[in-house]
Amino acid sequence: MKHNFKKAGLLLTGVVMSSKLFAQTPDTTAMSKDYVQPFSGANNFRTWSIGVHGGMMTPYTIFRGKENDYRTPNERWGYGAYVKKQIWHSLGLQANFFRGHVQGTNPADASYPYQRFESKIKYAVDISANITIANINWLKNRSVISPYVSVGGGSMAYSTSLYANGAENYTARTDDFHQFYIPLGAGVKVGLAPGINLDLGYQVNFVQGDNLDGYNYGSTNDKFAYAHAGLEFALGKRSKPQLARHNPVSSMRTEYLMSERALQIQLDQQKAQNEQLRNDLNTTNSNLARLTTDSDGDGVFDLNDKCPNTPSGTKVDGSGCPLPTPVTKVIVTEEDRRVVREAIKNLEFEFGKADIKERSLSSLDRVADILVNKNFSLKLAGHTDNVGSADANLKLSKDRAESVKAYLVSKGANPSRIEAVGYGKTQPIASNKTDAGRQKNRRVEFTLF
């Protein structure tokens, strides 16, 4: 019994270790490969599948209990196939078929004349509900491992041979039976590729009778276990995911990301449109500003201004060009000339300087009155004698003419109508050899016009 227990333990350990190894396989499938729009119907999935399997049959089960007809189970091979229709993510209906042998020795009653039995299961067919416990992997987009449990009911046909005690290979009797049975199973399906799964399962078959081993001993019905490994193949278009392995949470996440991306694209497009509208508005404002700009402030927009940069206050026509200045005839009277001559006569400067002496200012005031009242133009020409260098005399003559202009402007004269120049000693009107001649040469001439 311990020997058989160890065998069963090794089998289950192998199943678990295989599951762990496959569970570590990374999911490199693109997110959109298994995407199906949530709540879109089963026609978007592969719901039909077929499977084949083979494994070990034994009267030893995890529900063995204390009362068994034969104490020593022997392992024999079995095989089978199934067709499954997946109804929901977690529920499928499966039509199963299997065959095999169940064998045991060492009857519980030592006085029983038959040492060994062997039951040949000719066929066993059933309909089972296959319930996927977890097909949602919260860490990956695709579930690699899908644990399941199954329960159903069906009919089996088998023949049982009993072998007499002490007679090697001597068949005492052979009986044929048909019995109802209940298969109860559990296992895992490991995704090897899209539409291909490794099926590792363990199934206990509860026979509704006590004649599987040909020996009615105790008060319980017979049962036997079938541990198997096989392959499942999904039917249908390869472009569709298998419903049993589909991760609906991943599709909902993909749906959310797609909606978020679509919204982001819409926002980006709206931002681009807003930016374009803003640029268009700026361009329109710029064009409008260019059309209504009057840089020189003459009242004519630059677009129509044919004479830009006219001085401030200048009266212009409709094209922005200055209006002709009315010509005023200037008449210089003899009295005006007399006032100028008197100012020239009385004009004196400090020696070697451009400072006007105090006694000359009253005459200049009368000249300023003429310039202000009659808007005359005046040319001031400064001259010196030949004492000193030419450069010094030229500068002094210029400074004295500018000094007179500055005084007249301070009295209200228009500076644009007064010209001040210096000629130095280049234009004498008398001889520089005498004091009287040099005195005449030191002058500022006034030309009124």
Side-chain angles (χ1 to χ4, degrees):
M1 185 174 75
K2 292 182 178 179
H3 176 71
N4 291 302
F5 181 77
K6 289 182 179 178
K7 285 185 177 181
L10 289 173
L11 176 63
L12 291 175
T13 302
V15 171
V16 173
M17 290 301 294
S18 299
S19 302
K20 289 185 177 180
L21 289 175
F22 280 104
Q24 294 174 1
T25 304
D27 183 5
T28 57
T29 307
M31 185 194 314
S32 60
K33 185 175 181 63
D34 289 332
Y35 167 73
V36 175
Q37 187 177 15
F39 314 109
S40 59
N43 59 334
N44 293 291
F45 300 93
R46 285 190 277 180
T47 59
W48 285 97
S49 61
I50 60 174
V52 294
H53 49 74
M56 182 186 70
M57 290 186 175
T58 174
Y60 179 87
T61 71
I62 60 174
F63 305 105
R64 183 176 182 181
K66 296 181 179 180
E67 299 294 334
N68 290 283
D69 295 345
Y70 285 83
R71 301 299 190 187
T72 304
N74 301 122
E75 293 77 21
R76 298 293 300 274
W77 290 101
Y79 61 91
Y82 62 85
V83 177
K84 186 179 73 169
K85 168 65 175 178
Q86 195 72 24
I87 300 175
W88 303 323
H89 282 85
S90 58
L91 176 63
L93 290 181
Q94 187 169 305
N96 300 288
F97 166 82
F98 67 87
R99 298 183 66 184
H101 293 263
V102 180
Q103 186 181 72
T105 59
N106 189 16
D109 185 357
S111 62
Y112 191 64
Y114 302 106
Q115 177 67 23
R116 178 169 61 94
F117 84 92
E118 182 172 357
S119 294
K120 179 182 179 181
I121 301 175
K122 299 177 181 181
Y123 68 85
V125 293
D126 65 76
I127 299 296
S128 298
N130 188 288
I131 302 172
T132 303
I133 298 176
N135 62 347
I136 298 176
N137 189 336
W138 294 93
L139 301 178
K140 296 183 180 296
N141 293 314
R142 175 181 292 178
S143 300
V144 178
I145 294 181
S146 299
Y148 69 87
V149 295
S150 62
V151 62
S155 176
M156 68 168 58
Y158 56 89
S159 62
T160 301
S161 299
L162 298 176
Y163 296 88
N165 190 13
E168 186 65 25
N169 296 328
Y170 172 71
T171 302
R173 78 170 199 239
T174 300
D175 298 324
D176 292 328
F177 300 96
H178 289 83
Q179 291 288 355
F180 179 79
Y181 73 101
I182 298 175
L184 178 63
V188 292
K189 291 184 180 178
V190 182
L192 302 180
I196 302 177
N197 303 318
L198 174 65
D199 186 2
L200 303 173
Y202 178 80
Q203 178 176 305
V204 178
N205 300 282
F206 295 87
V207 182
Q208 298 304 295
D210 194 20
N211 52 17
L212 178 68
D213 52 14
Y215 181 23
N216 292 323
Y217 178 80
S219 59
T220 58
N221 292 333
D222 290 332
K223 51 188 173 291
F224 65 97
Y226 177 38
H228 59 81
L231 292 175
E232 180 184 41
F233 302 92
L235 304 178
K237 294 183 179 180
R238 293 186 177 182
S239 59
K240 296 180 180 181
Q242 187 178 1
L243 179 58
R245 286 186 56 195
H246 179 252
N247 187 345
V249 173
S250 176
S251 284
M252 294 183 70
R253 176 177 178 271
T254 301
E255 181 81 4
Y256 167 76
L257 293 177
M258 291 172 62
S259 299
E260 183 182 39
R261 178 57 180 163
L263 180 60
Q264 185 61 49
I265 292 175
Q266 185 178 359
L267 289 175
D268 292 342
Q269 292 175 344
Q270 187 63 49
K271 287 181 180 179
Q273 292 176 0
N274 292 343
E275 187 66 25
Q276 184 62 43
L277 290 175
R278 187 178 294 107
N279 293 336
D280 293 344
L281 179 61
N282 292 338
T283 301
T284 301
N285 290 337
S286 177
N287 293 335
L288 183 61
R290 186 165 61 252
L291 293 174
T292 58
T293 299
D294 181 12
S295 301
D296 53 11
D298 59 0
V300 178
F301 295 147
D302 290 353
L303 183 66
N304 302 318
D305 197 342
K306 295 181 179 180
C307 299
N309 303 320
T310 54
S312 177
T314 302
K315 295 182 178 181
V316 298
D317 57 17
S319 62
C321 294
L323 293 171
T325 304
V327 178
T328 304
K329 188 174 182 179
V330 179
I331 300 176
V332 181
T333 65
E334 184 59 31
E335 178 62 21
D336 296 333
R337 292 189 179 92
R338 187 191 66 76
V339 171
V340 171
R341 287 196 298 271
E342 185 178 352
I344 295 174
K345 180 180 178 181
N346 295 331
L347 182 61
E348 296 182 9
F349 296 93
E350 298 292 341
F351 179 76
K353 297 180 180 180
D355 297 336
I356 302 172
K357 289 186 177 181
E358 183 71 23
R359 58 177 173 268
S360 302
L361 298 182
S362 59
S363 298
L364 290 177
D365 289 343
R366 288 191 287 273
V367 173
D369 291 339
I370 295 175
L371 296 178
V372 171
N373 295 329
K374 295 188 176 183
N375 200 25
F376 285 154
S377 295
L378 179 66
K379 180 178 179 181
L380 302 172
H383 301 273
T384 63
D385 57 24
N386 66 345
V387 178
S389 66
D391 291 340
N393 285 324
L394 181 63
K395 181 178 184 306
L396 180 60
S397 65
K398 173 68 173 175
D399 290 344
R400 285 179 174 178
E402 289 289 348
S403 179
V404 174
K405 176 181 179 180
Y407 182 79
L408 294 175
V409 170
S410 69
K411 293 300 181 178
N414 188 347
S416 64
R417 289 188 170 275
I418 301 175
E419 180 184 6
V421 294
Y423 295 100
K425 62 183 182 178
T426 61
Q427 297 181 6
I429 57 175
S431 174
N432 284 312
K433 295 181 179 181
T434 63
D435 291 338
R438 288 193 293 271
Q439 177 66 34
K440 292 181 178 180
N441 289 334
R442 296 192 294 272
R443 70 195 187 277
V444 174
E445 295 179 347
F446 289 50
T447 304
L448 190 67
F449 56 92

